[in-house]
């Protein structure tokens, strides 16, 4: 991996140097054009002064010469090469190689070489207590592939994907689990939350339907009550929001700071509705 990154970055450096040489050639040509155009303007002025060109002819010829000079200036690139340019290209390649190594150490997995992904997953499976959410999701995906009807494995896969930031993958896992065991209230609530996160925290109709099903199966799903209350507030239905959030307030410890947040939101909604 490091070798590939080094090769690519080295190629980019060398390509940049080559483009620099090409631009120098273009600059030389355009500088010559510009000098030639300046001489042409001077010659036109001399001819007009000698009475050999009338006003109209002089104006047209001078405009054309000026156009060529402006074109040469636009194409001119102020880039010069020196005797040490080859040295600086090598320095650039060296820096690129060092940067590639740093990137690999940060985002890669030094020591693993070209080991198969399945081997890494097998190693992760042997130490489940120290896995990151991404690694746990990879291990559980292997388990589900072997036992696709395992509702517990599917539920755990959904939870791992959710923690890893893969909201759509989490929703897919929860849906598969619910297709096998549809009366799992917690999975319905988890499905709804995954859909909310996948929609940039917007509670859409599909998420609201999932929360409603969760509460139909188990009215103690406090997470579902929260989102249903939040959706009700979004519609301006304060009474419905209070019904859902009062269930949460009744369950929270009196010292829990979330109580004050919920109560404040409800009070603001009431005040807005009373205007």
């Amino acid at each position: 991996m490091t070798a590939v990154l080094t090769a690519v970055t080295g190629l980019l450096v060398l390509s940049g140097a080559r483009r620099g040489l090409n631009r120098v050639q273009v600059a030389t040509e355009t500088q010559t054009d510009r000098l030639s155009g300046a001489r042409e303007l001077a010659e036109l002025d001399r001819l007009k002064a000698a009475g050999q060109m009338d006003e109209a002819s002089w104006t047209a010829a001078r405009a054309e010469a000026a156009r060529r000079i402006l074109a040469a200036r636009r194409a001119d690139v102020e880039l010069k090469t020196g005797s040490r340019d080859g040295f600086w290209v090598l320095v650039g390649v060296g820096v690129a190689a060092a940067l590639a190594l740093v990137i690999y150490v940060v985002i890669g997995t030094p020591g693993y070489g070209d080991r198969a992904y399945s081997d890494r997953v097998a190693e992760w499976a042997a130490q489940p207590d120290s896995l990151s959410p991404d690694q746990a999701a990879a291990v559980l995906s292997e388990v589900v592939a072997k036992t696709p009807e395992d509702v517990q494995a599917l539920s755990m896969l959904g939870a791992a994907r959710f923690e890893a930031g893969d909201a759509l993958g989490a929703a897919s896992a929860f849906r598969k689990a619910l297709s096998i065991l549809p009366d799992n209230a917690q999975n319905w609530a988890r499905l709804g939350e995954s859909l909310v996160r996948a929609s940039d925290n917007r509670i859409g109709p599909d998420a609201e339907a999932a929360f409603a099903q969760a509460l139909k199966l188990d009215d103690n799903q406090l997470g579902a009550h929260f989102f249903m209350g939040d959706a009700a507030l979004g519609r301006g239905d304060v009474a419905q929001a209070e019904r859902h959030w009062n269930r949460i307030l009744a369950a929270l410890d009196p010292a829990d700071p979330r109580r004050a947040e919920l109560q404040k939101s409800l009070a603001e909604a009431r005040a807005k509705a009373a205007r």
Side-chain angles (χ1 to χ4, degrees):
M1 179 66 175
T2 305
V4 172
L5 287 173
T6 302
V8 171
T9 49
L11 179 60
L12 290 174
V13 172
L14 292 172
S15 297
R18 178 59 182 171
R19 285 195 299 272
L21 291 174
N22 290 341
R23 287 174 179 172
V24 169
Q25 293 173 358
V26 172
T28 301
E29 293 171 358
T30 53
Q31 286 167 2
T32 300
D33 291 342
R34 194 170 68 245
L35 291 173
S36 177
R39 286 193 296 268
E40 184 178 354
L41 286 175
E43 179 63 13
L44 290 172
D45 290 342
R46 188 189 67 79
L47 291 172
K48 180 177 182 293
Q52 297 177 10
M53 291 185 72
D54 59 24
E55 185 71 22
S57 299
W58 174 80
T59 301
R62 207 175 196 285
E64 178 61 23
R67 184 193 63 77
R68 286 196 295 271
I69 292 174
L70 290 174
R73 284 179 177 173
R74 284 195 295 268
D76 195 358
V77 179
E78 295 181 1
L79 180 64
K80 299 180 180 179
T81 59
S83 59
R84 295 176 61 81
D85 281 1
F87 167 78
W88 289 114
V89 168
L90 291 177
V91 170
V93 173
V95 171
L99 180 61
L101 179 60
V102 170
I103 292 173
Y104 178 61
V105 169
V106 173
I107 67 174
T109 313
Y112 277 97
D114 293 325
R115 290 175 56 195
Y117 178 72
S118 58
D119 292 343
R120 300 186 193 186
V121 173
E123 183 175 299
W124 296 336
Q127 43 187 358
D129 294 335
S130 60
L131 299 183
S132 67
D134 285 330
Q135 292 170 337
V139 171
L140 289 164
S141 292
E142 292 291 315
V143 174
V144 168
K146 295 175 182 176
T147 56
E149 301 298 310
D150 189 335
V151 173
Q152 183 178 11
L154 284 165
S155 301
M156 293 173 65
L157 174 60
R161 286 176 173 173
F162 185 87
E163 291 300 322
D166 181 9
L168 287 176
S172 176
F174 288 129
R175 278 197 175 106
K176 288 178 182 176
L178 289 166
S179 69
I180 301 168
L181 188 64
D183 60 353
N184 187 315
Q186 188 177 43
N187 277 351
W188 279 108
R190 287 173 167 176
L191 170 60
E193 191 169 354
S194 298
L195 293 171
V196 170
R197 181 174 290 185
S199 300
D200 295 326
N201 295 322
R202 185 182 66 85
I203 306 172
D206 51 352
E208 196 166 352
F211 292 131
Q213 183 63 22
L215 294 176
K216 181 179 179 182
L217 294 168
D218 178 9
D219 198 47
N220 291 316
Q221 292 293 323
L222 298 183
H225 276 298
F226 171 78
F227 285 105
M228 290 294 280
D230 198 24
L233 278 185
R235 293 191 296 269
D237 190 343
V238 180
Q240 184 78 345
E242 286 183 322
R243 187 181 75 80
H244 287 292
W245 283 8
N246 282 338
R247 291 297 310 273
I248 301 175
L249 291 170
L252 289 177
D253 186 273
D256 194 314
R258 290 174 294 181
R259 291 181 60 88
E261 294 175 8
L262 292 175
Q263 289 169 336
K264 180 182 178 182
S265 295
L266 287 173
E268 290 175 348
R270 291 191 205 99
K272 185 178 179 180
R275 291 173 191 166

